[in-house]
Amino acid sequence: MHRLFRRGKSPAGKTPDDSSVPATASTSTFVSNSSVKSFPLGIKLLYKSVNSIVDIIFIHGRTGHREKTWRMKNATDPWPQTLLPAEVSNARILTFGYDAYAADWRGMVAQNGIGNHSMNLLTAVATYREDDDTALISSQQRPDRHLRNILESTRGIVFLGTPHHGSGLARWAEMLAKSIGLIKQTNPQILQVLQRDSEVLARIQDNFHVMVRARNQQGFRPIEIACFYEELPLPGIGSVVPLDSAILPGYTQIGIHSNHMDMTKFEDRNDPGFKAIAGELRRWVKELGQSKISSSGETASANAANTSLPKSPFKTPFPRDSMFIGREDIMARIDKIYKQAESWNHTRLALVGLGGVGKSQTAIEYAYRVRDSALHTSVFWIHASNAARFEQGYREIANEVELPGRDDPRTDILRLVSEWLSDEKNGRWLIILDNADDDNVLFGLNMITEQSIQSNDVASRKMPLASFIPQTPNGSILATSRDSTTAMNLVGYDNVIPVEPMNEGDALALLKTRVPFGETSESEAKALIQALEYIPLAITHAAAYIRMREPRVTISTYLQLFHESVENQSNLLSNRDVRDLRRDYSMRYAVITAWQISFNQIQETRPAATDLLALISMFDRQGIPEYLLRGNTDQLQFEDAIAPLISFALIRAQVGRQSFEMHSLVQLSMRKWLEQNMQLQKWRKESVRIMAKAFPSGEYKTWTDCQVLLPHSKEVMTYVLNDVDEVLNRATIADHTALYLFHQGKYASAEKISRDAVEGRGKVLGPEHPDTLTSIGNLGSVLESLGRYGEAEAMHRRVLEGREKVLGPEHPDTLTSISHLGSALESLGRYGAAEAMHRRALEGREKVLGPEQPDTLTSISHLGSALESLGRYGAAEAMHRRALEGREKVLGPEHPDTLTSISHLGSALENLGRYGEAEAMHRRALEGKEKVLGPEHPNTLISVSNLGSALQRLGKYEEAEAMHRRDLEGSEKVLGPEHPETLASVNNLGSVLKSLGKYEEVEAMYRRNLTGSEKVLGQEHPDTLTCIGNLGSVLESLGRYEEAEAMHRRALEGRKRVLGPEHPYTLTSVSHLGSALERLGKYEEAEAMYRRDLEGSEKVLGPEHPETLASVSNLGSVLKSLGKYEEAEAMYRRGLEGLEKVLGPEHPETLANVSNLGSALKNLGRYEEAGALHRRALEGRERVLGPEHPNTLISVSHLGSVLNSLGKYEEAEAMYRRGLEGLEKVLGPEHPDTLICIGNLGSVLKSLGRYEEAGALHRRALEGRERVLGPEHPNTLISVSHLGSVLKSLGKYEEAEAMYRRDLEGSEKVLGPEHPDTLVSVNNLGSVLESSGRYEEAEAMHRRALEGRERVLGPEHPYTLTSVSHLGSALERLGKYEEAEAMYRRGLEGLGKVLGPEHPDTLTSASKLGSVSKS
């Protein structure tokens, strides 16, 4: 803390240098006992000047030091000594030290309390200052004159992080002091004082404020005060002195960008903290130097002035507010303008703002500051709301200055006072012209009072009141006004100072001065001042209400009541029990009526403006477009009506926009005023009528206007109106608003409003009126988007039946209903019924509208989509081509509907596997939409997504990712991050990232999609359930099979409830659950799921639908896992034949089935047939997808696998290398598919006996999988096993065993002890133990593997029979030949039965049996 003292004049015969004190008096030191800490005490001189006019004393805080507190770590001298003199060269700079340690491990501490330290400071300063000037609260309370003079000499105080209300850390320091006190003496007194909400501190603060006020009332110059607070926390501790404790309301508050320890240390003059402190000190010292009061002893001079000069009049009807908060920016601006013109010009200023914003309170505070700082300036207060009050104010001036003739009834009091004010001999004056709101009062003819009528000077009575306010250089005017026009006429344009609502900090401080609250209530306090829009009158009114009703009503209670209803708000702010004595008696009304004075005034002079304000108050308070208000009014009339509303600050024109806004409390007040004047319902009806006419249809081209009008439409729809016209108008607004919200993807809001439209139109027009049916149809579309397909179907059927009855079966609107019903049926998965509806709509439109009418072409497009859902892709393509050709002809090649048809055709081609053509179509659609609709139109973004999908199908994953990212960024920008289309974009991006093997990113995307869908659409919306299924799929890819199973079960259960057990999407979930179960090794459960999926698909979609054929293939997959290779082969062949028939022999899906069949035949040991199929798949994919497509490269790898089984290792190596090089190029070196290929290449090199190379590749695969998939992913564990196999081949059995044990432990943890893959690990470990000669351990492992496989896979599964054979091998090694022979025979018989007598595994078993028989 710094304190600034005015220096007294040196006694006669001495120069200022002679006033210094000997060094022995300026410092004190501790000596002797080493257990006592040496601490510099007392005053020390840091700098002195020959022309010093002021002392600046630096006083440290608790645990501080006389010099170190002000010194940087590596500096030799404190900055007040090195930096400050250059800023205040006419000051003497001192520092004061005292022992404020509460505890010290090293020794004793002083027991002085805060009062003792204060007295020591007073005495030290008094001793040091030769003419006995000294310092503050203690000085005021002392009878000693030389100590009391401190108060009179103090000119300013800088508080640096001073805890005026205590510090939260004091509690911790007190605990530390107590713990030290167990072994050392401590001083807890200071810590107790510094506790938060300390009573001692509170008393000090009260005394301080009383002292400052008393000093001002005694005619002394005010004490300048600045509070500096820390902006940064202390590392590991936090804020030492929080902001609310470091500042004093009503005084300058400045932050220093440091923590509590460093905020008093500055390195150079450029430090912002130093600049701020030095700036305040420099300003104060400069003002002292310019003071007109003699420096020959301030107190004596002030007393002499008080006795030798007459006291300047000070007349204000209000006491000073000791708790005045904020507005320092306005005070500074007033000061600046007045000081610039002080010596040579008359100055006028006006504070202008909304009623209750604090204009008069600011003027009151300024008046008192003028009284304190300008002792010879007269201050007068005049209430200017009407001529009578104005003249009363002048009469009070005449009485105050005792003007001769003032009591003569014939005296023109206005002229008398005006002439006195004009006489510069009467000194400077300031008039506060309060509530100068009415231009007619000030500038109209003055014929008001009885005295005026009696006056002989009739001519002067016809002069406006403003003419009696002199413009002489010795006078200034400070006006307050609600009306900026009146203010500008009075003071000029440049001298109007707007007064806005408070900032949050000041508003919070204002509330706290009226209703003290702690940190626990701060959030509620902030919510309250926000609700009251930071308007001071509203805040003080609310505070008074709370204080009058304590303890039942608290800030929290008030806030709750306020938010309960608009009626509560009106009652709370209209409460007449609360009075403010610091407002004029004519204006001591409740908040809600504060603005109604302005309403009445405008009503009298500008009725059109009042009507306009009434209309504005009916809409939402912000963003009210001008066109909504103007109607048919011409521009000039509108400007004349709007001007007084802006002038009175009742509304505000939004910069850069043709729109307006108003404070919510003003809106509330206006509505209450209208209610009192029986006009509220009238203006509600008018606002509904205007909105019904203004709100557009909700189609895309109107979205900009819809967005602007949406909050206003929602507001007027809350009005309860019973007239027929108003009900229909409200229903029209609801219908259009719901349609807009529907297009925006805000389906829940759209449903509620759409139901209002149906109810309103049904009530007035009847259930079968065409407009009612339109609203019902719109509601059906909304329900469909909400995933409530059954309800949507019911709505569309109801509309269809109504229109058939009312309009006839072939009316265009009836045909539209047929089309809508078809779409609902398609969503329900009833594709056949949907096709029938779309065909009926098409035939009707062809007949009624013609084959090329746009609606007819739309029906063709819808029919194409239904055919796609039915898997009839060729027929769908034909329909989409017909729609495209028709739209090109009728609408033109660049019409949005034409471009949509291009996009639909692209999707059909994609389904047909013609990805290159699909890409071309999607590019064409995208280019057209970018040109016609713009790059960020939602339909353009759909085309971006479609193109990304086609690129993904083509294996161009990076390009696809770029497209989906563009789509997502655009959707987030245009539609918002939670729009359903945006969430679909998130899902699409996740899909391509999955293709890139970025599974963790995919999981994040799918979780974001799921969270958003649950929030926006609901937990059981079909799209949300799709998100759950997608998340399950990526968890499966991450090897988290149990989590995947849980997700697929959740999706399945939800779809069964929402869509029904046989919906195609439900069957998809059945299939996905089967996949997860298969991964978990639960093959029988998986088989049951796949069979259920197949049976359902056959029933719902038909036996040849592509989705049905995919189900056939999936069943083949699990049969293969079950070792039922022949059944698996049969399934794959059925799937292949069906796809060849439906999609063609070279469709990508067909080629995928060719590959699957090849794998099944390989398992059957029919390697030649398997190789032929894989070659066919490879050649087909090369033609259709290209040689570098990932699926083509996978076919290369599959062919390599067959060649490896055939013993053609070099050819196999060549295939694997080709596959690996391609995948590295296309997918990257660490893509999961690339890593699979690396492992495969390692395996074939092992077969070639190139073990070192094989080991290197398996290590590479393992390291890559550990990075990409994690150390416990099942595929990572496969690489561990493969590496163990190579090590075994190299004879490194211990290393191999370590690998196999790691694989086994990981598999047991991740998959479970009996998962088929875990049992493979058991078997592998048994083999390496056998190779190590540990035959008994090997036997145990093989028995475990065999028993597990018998339980899980069955006794005749090929893997079970392999374990039989391995167990036989271990038994043979142990010399148990008979048991070994029995095992080999069992294995041979089983393999012969399951795989056939010539399968390689069967032949191997026969060989082993022969070998053991010889033994």
Side-chain angles (χ1 to χ4, degrees):
M1 178 174 71
H2 308 171
R3 288 189 177 159
L4 184 67
F5 299 98
R6 175 65 182 233
R7 289 291 311 277
K9 182 179 178 182
S10 302
K14 287 190 176 182
T15 67
D17 287 341
D18 295 328
S19 64
S20 60
V21 179
T24 53
S26 66
T27 59
S28 298
T29 57
F30 284 92
V31 292
S32 72
N33 197 328
S34 61
S35 67
V36 179
K37 183 181 179 181
S38 176
F39 204 94
L41 304 177
I43 296 280
K44 179 179 179 180
L45 176 67
L46 297 180
Y47 171 80
K48 65 178 180 178
S49 169
V50 295
N51 59 343
S52 297
I53 64 169
V54 65
D55 284 340
I56 301 175
I57 303 181
F58 286 78
I59 307 167
H60 61 76
R62 189 178 67 81
T63 73
H65 186 278
R66 190 173 65 182
E67 295 174 55
K68 291 179 181 178
T69 293
W70 318 104
R71 192 170 68 204
M72 291 293 290
K73 185 175 181 181
N74 297 321
T76 56
D77 298 307
W79 62 265
Q81 182 177 353
T82 59
L83 302 180
L84 190 60
E87 305 294 329
V88 284
S89 58
N90 55 345
R92 185 168 63 175
I93 302 173
L94 313 165
T95 180
F96 175 77
Y98 63 100
D99 183 359
Y101 270 74
D104 191 344
W105 289 104
R106 294 164 294 184
M108 307 293 288
V109 296
Q111 297 299 301
N112 283 348
I114 197 165
N116 303 121
H117 290 309
S118 176
M119 193 62 220
N120 289 344
L121 170 64
L122 286 171
T123 305
V125 174
T127 302
Y128 199 83
R129 291 165 59 90
E130 293 180 329
D131 56 351
D132 286 345
D133 286 351
T134 3
L136 283 185
I137 301 172
S138 294
S139 74
Q140 185 194 28
Q141 298 167 348
R142 299 292 300 178
D144 318 62
R145 178 62 190 169
H146 73 289
L147 297 182
R148 286 183 55 81
N149 283 344
I150 292 266
L151 171 63
E152 299 163 9
S153 298
T154 301
R155 288 292 173 265
I157 307 173
V158 173
F159 291 107
L160 275 174
T162 304
H164 301 291
H165 305 293
S167 169
L169 293 181
R171 181 168 58 89
W172 298 101
E174 184 177 23
M175 291 169 60
L176 175 64
K178 287 178 179 178
S179 65
I180 295 174
L182 295 174
I183 54 174
K184 297 286 184 180
Q185 187 177 4
T186 63
N187 181 4
Q189 296 180 44
I190 293 178
L191 293 177
Q192 291 168 0
V193 170
L194 294 179
Q195 293 281 2
R196 289 288 286 182
D197 302 321
S198 158
E199 291 185 10
V200 177
L201 268 184
R203 189 166 62 251
I204 290 173
Q205 290 304 307
D206 290 342
N207 290 341
F208 178 79
H209 289 296
V210 169
M211 176 205 72
V212 171
R213 287 196 296 271
R215 188 183 190 284
N216 295 338
Q217 291 166 0
Q218 291 166 9
F220 295 103
R221 291 175 61 91
I223 297 176
E224 299 281 0
I225 295 175
C227 300
F228 289 79
Y229 57 89
E230 63 210 63
E231 292 183 345
L232 300 180
L234 203 60
I237 294 177
S239 178
V240 176
V241 180
L243 175 61
D244 65 331
S245 183
I247 64 172
L248 292 174
Y251 296 104
T252 302
Q253 306 163 13
I254 303 173
I256 292 183
H257 196 66
S258 295
N259 61 45
H260 189 76
M261 296 293 291
D262 295 336
M263 69 183 297
T264 60
K265 299 175 174 63
F266 308 121
E267 189 170 1
D268 54 47
R269 295 178 61 189
N270 294 320
D271 190 299
F274 173 76
K275 284 185 175 181
I277 294 173
E280 289 295 302
L281 294 174
R282 186 170 57 247
R283 178 170 63 82
W284 298 350
V285 172
K286 182 179 179 182
E287 290 175 358
L288 283 175
Q290 294 174 345
S291 173
K292 296 178 182 179
I293 302 175
S294 170
S295 61
S296 60
E298 177 69 8
T299 303
S301 175
N303 290 338
N306 288 337
T307 56
S308 63
L309 294 174
K311 184 178 180 181
S312 297
F314 179 82
K315 187 69 175 176
T316 174
F318 309 111
R320 192 173 194 173
D321 185 356
S322 62
M323 297 182 288
F324 181 81
I325 295 294
R327 303 306 192 193
E328 293 302 328
D329 55 337
I330 295 175
M331 296 292 185
R333 188 171 172 186
I334 297 171
D335 270 340
K336 182 178 179 182
I337 295 173
Y338 281 155
K339 286 177 179 177
Q340 286 174 347
E342 191 172 36
S343 60
W344 56 273
N345 200 6
H346 173 77
T347 307
R348 295 186 175 195
L349 294 175
L351 304 178
V352 178
L354 190 65
V357 82
K359 304 179 297 298
S360 297
Q361 302 307 309
T362 303
I364 293 169
E365 174 62 21
Y366 186 75
Y368 278 93
R369 292 191 186 187
V370 169
R371 185 202 66 179
D372 294 342
S373 61
L375 302 180
H376 306 303
T377 297
S378 301
V379 179
F380 304 112
W381 191 280
I382 295 176
H383 193 90
S385 62
N386 56 60
R389 294 293 303 278
F390 185 96
E391 185 168 336
Q392 178 187 342
Y394 264 47
R395 187 166 297 281
E396 289 172 356
I397 294 175
N399 291 332
E400 181 70 20
V401 299
E402 300 177 351
L403 292 181
R406 63 186 182 280
D407 294 326
D408 187 340
R410 294 171 300 175
T411 299
D412 183 347
I413 203 71
L414 296 176
R415 184 174 298 281
L416 179 67
V417 172
S418 177
E419 290 173 351
W420 184 87
L421 293 170
S422 300
D423 189 345
E424 294 186 32
K425 290 186 296 184
N426 293 318
R428 295 196 58 77
W429 51 263
L430 168 67
I431 288 181
I432 310 292
L433 208 59
D434 193 27
N435 290 292
D437 303 329
D438 193 338
D439 201 61
N440 289 328
V441 169
L442 293 171
F443 296 98
L445 295 182
N446 172 32
M447 297 288 290
I448 303 297
T449 67
E450 189 174 328
Q451 286 101 328
S452 298
I453 294 171
Q454 294 173 353
S455 173
N456 292 329
D457 191 352
V458 178
S460 71
R461 298 296 86 220
K462 296 181 180 180
M463 297 174 64
L465 293 177
S467 64
F468 294 100
I469 306 173
Q471 299 190 42
T472 53
N474 62 313
S476 300
I477 300 292
L478 177 61
T480 72
S481 180
R482 302 165 186 247
D483 182 14
S484 61
T485 300
T486 301
M488 283 187 280
N489 288 337
L490 182 65
V491 305
Y493 179 83
D494 294 332
N495 289 340
V496 170
I497 300 176
V499 182
E500 302 291 346
M502 287 179 148
N503 60 49
E504 184 182 69
D506 286 346
L508 200 63
L510 175 63
L511 178 64
K512 194 167 189 176
T513 61
R514 269 65 179 177
V515 185
F517 57 85
E519 292 181 8
T520 55
S521 300
E522 186 165 325
S523 61
E524 292 170 335
K526 286 182 178 180
L528 177 58
I529 60 173
Q530 184 179 12
L532 299 174
E533 297 193 298
Y534 310 109
I535 296 174
L537 177 60
I539 294 170
T540 55
H541 187 281
Y545 184 95
I546 293 168
R547 289 300 294 268
M548 289 175 67
R549 287 161 175 77
E550 286 178 330
R552 286 184 53 79
V553 176
T554 63
I555 291 176
S556 177
T557 311
Y558 188 97
L559 189 62
Q560 182 181 352
L561 291 171
F562 190 85
H563 284 310
E564 272 182 7
S565 66
V566 172
E567 191 64 29
N568 270 12
Q569 293 174 18
S570 178
N571 290 336
L572 286 169
L573 297 177
S574 299
N575 188 277
R576 297 184 179 275
D577 294 340
V578 177
R579 297 284 188 271
D580 187 349
L581 296 177
R582 300 185 66 262
R583 292 176 65 83
D584 188 81
Y585 68 84
S586 67
M587 293 189 162
R588 288 175 188 165
Y589 32 67
V591 178
I592 202 69
T593 54
W595 299 296
Q596 294 181 358
I597 302 299
S598 300
F599 303 158
N600 289 328
Q601 184 176 333
I602 296 171
Q603 172 75 6
E604 292 175 5
T605 57
R606 298 282 182 85
T610 311
D611 289 348
L612 184 56
L613 184 62
L615 179 59
I616 291 172
S617 71
M618 293 299 103
F619 300 117
D620 185 80
R621 70 179 191 86
Q622 293 179 308
I624 308 166
E626 181 180 318
Y627 64 80
L628 198 62
L629 307 173
R630 270 191 62 184
N632 297 322
T633 307
D634 66 46
Q635 186 68 34
L636 181 58
Q637 289 177 321
F638 181 77
E639 294 299 336
D640 286 344
I642 206 77
L645 305 182
I646 296 173
S647 183
F648 274 84
L650 296 172
I651 66 170
R652 179 185 299 173
Q654 294 180 298
V655 178
R657 299 165 58 188
Q658 295 295 309
S659 59
F660 305 93
E661 64 180 355
M662 71 192 313
H663 287 286
S664 61
L665 298 185
V666 176
Q667 181 186 56
L668 177 66
S669 179
M670 184 62 189
R671 290 179 179 181
K672 189 71 176 176
W673 186 79
L674 290 171
E675 184 180 11
Q676 292 167 354
N677 288 278
M678 307 296 287
Q679 294 186 57
L680 184 60
Q681 284 299 94
K682 167 192 169 182
W683 288 106
R684 284 179 171 175
K685 291 178 182 179
E686 181 65 10
S687 65
V688 168
R689 183 192 67 78
I690 290 171
M691 186 57 63
K693 186 177 179 181
F695 203 96
S697 65
E699 297 296 335
Y700 177 78
K701 62 185 178 182
T702 68
W703 279 12
T704 301
D705 288 339
C706 288
Q707 183 62 40
V708 170
L709 294 175
L710 180 63
H712 308 299
S713 74
K714 287 183 175 180
E715 184 72 18
V716 302
M717 281 191 291
T718 63
Y719 301 150
V720 178
L721 304 168
N722 297 316
D723 292 355
V724 170
D725 288 343
E726 278 67 49
V727 171
L728 287 179
N729 282 335
R730 189 178 178 280
T732 298
I733 299 168
D735 202 54
H736 292 177
T737 302
L739 194 57
Y740 168 65
L741 291 171
F742 166 71
H743 287 308
Q744 286 286 300
K746 298 172 181 175
Y747 305 134
S749 299
E751 180 195 1
K752 182 180 182 302
I753 296 173
S754 192
R755 288 192 184 279
D756 288 345
V758 171
E759 182 182 348
R761 284 177 166 171
K763 179 180 178 181
V764 175
L765 302 174
E768 294 185 344
H769 188 281
D771 287 351
T772 305
L773 295 173
T774 296
S775 291
I776 295 170
N778 290 341
L779 176 58
S781 297
V782 171
L783 291 170
E784 189 175 343
S785 294
L786 281 165
R788 288 148 64 183
Y789 302 138
E791 293 178 66
E793 178 193 4
M795 287 290 165
H796 289 311
R797 285 197 186 278
R798 176 181 165 188
V799 176
L800 175 56
E801 291 167 4
R803 282 176 168 168
E804 284 178 325
K805 179 180 178 181
V806 176
L807 302 175
E810 293 187 342
H811 187 280
D813 288 352
T814 306
L815 298 173
T816 296
S817 291
I818 294 170
S819 181
H820 287 168
L821 179 56
S823 297
L825 292 168
E826 192 172 344
S827 295
L828 281 163
R830 290 150 62 184
Y831 301 138
E835 178 193 5
M837 281 293 159
H838 287 312
R839 285 197 185 279
R840 178 181 163 190
L842 174 57
E843 290 165 3
R845 282 172 166 170
E846 284 178 324
K847 179 180 177 182
V848 176
L849 303 174
E852 293 185 342
Q853 203 269 349
D855 288 348
T856 304
L857 297 173
T858 297
S859 280
I860 294 170
S861 181
H862 286 170
L863 179 56
S865 297
L867 292 169
E868 267 186 272
S869 297
L870 283 163
R872 289 150 62 184
Y873 301 137
E877 178 194 3
M879 281 293 160
H880 287 311
R881 286 198 185 278
R882 178 181 163 190
L884 174 58
E885 290 165 4
R887 282 171 165 169
E888 285 178 323
K889 179 180 177 182
V890 175
L891 302 174
E894 293 187 342
H895 189 280
D897 289 350
T898 305
L899 298 172
T900 298
S901 281
I902 294 170
S903 188
H904 286 169
L905 179 56
S907 297
L909 292 168
E910 196 173 328
N911 283 324
L912 283 164
R914 289 147 65 181
Y915 302 141
E917 294 177 68
E919 177 192 3
M921 281 292 160
H922 288 313
R923 286 197 186 278
R924 177 182 163 190
L926 176 57
E927 290 166 3
K929 287 178 177 178
E930 286 176 325
K931 179 179 178 183
V932 175
L933 302 175
E936 292 187 343
H937 188 286
N939 288 347
T940 305
L941 296 173
I942 288 173
S943 281
V944 172
S945 178
N946 289 340
L947 178 56
S949 176
L951 291 168
Q952 186 176 347
R953 294 275 199 164
L954 282 164
K956 301 176 180 179
Y957 299 139
E958 291 184 355
E959 292 180 66
E961 179 185 2
M963 282 294 154
H964 287 308
R965 286 198 185 278
R966 175 184 163 188
D967 169 36
L968 176 57
E969 290 166 5
S971 297
E972 287 176 324
K973 180 179 178 182
V974 175
L975 301 175
E978 293 185 343
H979 189 281
E981 291 296 333
T982 305
L983 296 173
S985 298
V986 172
N987 181 74
N988 292 339
L989 178 57
S991 174
V992 75
L993 290 172
K994 186 179 177 188
S995 296
L996 283 163
K998 301 176 180 179
Y999 299 137
E1000 291 183 355
E1001 290 182 63
V1002 177
E1003 181 185 3
M1005 283 289 163
Y1006 285 157
R1007 287 198 184 277
R1008 174 186 166 187
N1009 188 16
L1010 176 57
T1011 302
S1013 296
E1014 286 177 325
K1015 179 179 178 183
V1016 175
L1017 302 174
Q1019 292 191 340
E1020 293 204 334
H1021 187 281
D1023 289 353
T1024 305
L1025 298 172
T1026 297
C1027 295
I1028 294 168
N1030 290 339
L1031 180 56
S1033 296
V1034 76
L1035 290 171
E1036 198 173 324
S1037 297
L1038 283 162
R1040 290 149 62 184
Y1041 301 139
E1042 291 182 353
E1043 292 179 67
E1045 178 191 2
M1047 282 292 160
H1048 289 312
R1049 287 196 186 278
R1050 177 181 164 190
L1052 174 57
E1053 290 164 5
R1055 281 174 164 169
K1056 280 195 297 187
R1057 277 193 303 272
V1058 175
L1059 302 174
E1062 293 187 341
H1063 190 283
Y1065 291 172
T1066 306
L1067 297 173
T1068 297
S1069 284
V1070 171
S1071 177
H1072 286 169
L1073 179 55
S1075 174
L1077 292 168
E1078 186 177 358
R1079 292 279 196 168
L1080 282 164
K1082 302 175 180 179
Y1083 298 139
E1084 291 181 354
E1085 291 180 66
E1087 179 187 4
M1089 283 292 157
Y1090 285 140
R1091 288 196 184 279
R1092 175 182 162 187
D1093 170 34
L1094 176 57
E1095 291 166 4
S1097 296
E1098 287 176 325
K1099 179 180 177 182
V1100 175
L1101 301 174
E1104 292 188 342
H1105 190 284
E1107 293 295 329
T1108 305
L1109 297 172
S1111 298
V1112 170
S1113 181
N1114 289 338
L1115 180 56
S1117 171
V1118 76
L1119 289 170
K1120 184 177 75 169
S1121 297
L1122 281 163
K1124 301 176 181 179
Y1125 298 135
E1126 291 181 355
E1127 291 181 67
E1129 178 189 359
M1131 282 294 157
Y1132 284 137
R1133 287 198 184 280
R1134 174 185 163 186
L1136 176 57
E1137 290 166 3
L1139 290 171
E1140 285 178 325
K1141 179 180 177 182
V1142 175
L1143 300 177
E1146 293 202 335
H1147 189 284
E1149 294 297 329
T1150 306
L1151 296 172
N1153 249 40
V1154 170
S1155 182
N1156 289 340
L1157 179 57
S1159 297
L1161 292 173
K1162 175 177 174 284
N1163 287 327
L1164 283 164
R1166 290 150 63 182
Y1167 300 138
E1168 296 291 345
E1169 293 177 72
L1173 286 170
H1174 283 308
R1175 284 194 189 279
R1176 174 184 163 188
L1178 173 58
E1179 291 165 1
R1181 283 172 164 169
E1182 285 176 326
R1183 279 193 300 273
V1184 175
L1185 302 175
E1188 292 189 342
H1189 190 283
N1191 288 351
T1192 305
L1193 297 169
I1194 287 171
S1195 281
V1196 170
S1197 184
H1198 285 169
L1199 182 55
S1201 176
V1202 173
L1203 292 169
N1204 189 29
S1205 296
L1206 283 165
K1208 300 178 179 180
Y1209 301 135
E1210 292 181 355
E1211 291 180 64
E1213 178 188 1
M1215 281 293 160
Y1216 282 140
R1217 288 199 183 279
R1218 174 185 163 188
L1220 177 57
E1221 290 167 4
L1223 290 171
E1224 285 179 322
K1225 179 180 178 182
V1226 175
L1227 300 178
E1230 292 199 339
H1231 189 281
D1233 290 349
T1234 306
L1235 297 172
I1236 289 173
C1237 206
I1238 292 169
N1240 289 340
L1241 179 57
S1243 296
V1244 78
L1245 291 174
K1246 174 176 173 285
S1247 298
L1248 283 164
R1250 290 150 63 183
Y1251 299 136
E1252 296 293 343
E1253 292 178 71
L1257 285 172
H1258 284 308
R1259 285 194 189 279
R1260 177 182 163 191
L1262 173 57
E1263 291 166 1
R1265 281 173 163 168
E1266 286 176 325
R1267 278 193 300 273
V1268 175
L1269 302 175
E1272 293 186 343
H1273 190 282
N1275 288 356
T1276 306
L1277 297 174
I1278 287 172
S1279 283
V1280 171
S1281 179
H1282 285 170
L1283 182 56
S1285 174
V1286 173
L1287 292 168
K1288 179 186 169 190
S1289 297
L1290 284 165
K1292 300 178 179 180
Y1293 299 135
E1294 290 184 0
E1295 293 180 61
E1297 179 186 354
M1299 283 292 158
Y1300 283 141
R1301 287 197 183 278
R1302 174 184 164 187
D1303 171 32
L1304 176 56
E1305 289 167 5
S1307 296
E1308 286 176 324
K1309 179 179 178 182
V1310 175
L1311 302 174
E1314 292 202 336
H1315 188 281
D1317 289 352
T1318 305
L1319 297 173
V1320 169
S1321 300
V1322 173
N1323 183 77
N1324 290 339
L1325 180 56
S1327 297
V1328 77
L1329 290 170
E1330 189 176 338
S1331 298
S1332 298
R1334 292 149 66 184
Y1335 302 135
E1336 291 182 354
E1337 292 178 68
E1339 178 192 1
M1341 282 293 158
H1342 287 312
R1343 285 196 186 279
R1344 175 183 165 187
L1346 174 58
E1347 291 167 1
R1349 282 172 165 171
E1350 285 176 326
R1351 276 193 302 273
V1352 175
L1353 302 175
E1356 293 189 342
H1357 190 284
Y1359 290 174
T1360 306
L1361 297 170
T1362 298
S1363 283
V1364 169
S1365 180
H1366 286 167
L1367 178 56
S1369 175
L1371 291 168
E1372 184 179 2
R1373 294 277 193 172
L1374 284 165
K1376 301 177 181 179
Y1377 299 127
E1378 290 182 358
E1379 291 180 66
E1381 180 182 3
M1383 283 293 157
Y1384 284 144
R1385 284 192 186 281
R1386 176 184 165 186
L1388 177 60
E1389 290 168 2
L1391 291 170
K1393 179 181 177 182
V1394 174
L1395 301 178
E1398 295 188 357
H1399 189 281
D1401 290 351
T1402 307
L1403 296 174
T1404 299
S1405 282
S1407 174
K1408 287 183 177 181
L1409 179 58
S1411 172
V1412 77
S1413 296
K1414 290 178 182 178
S1415 300

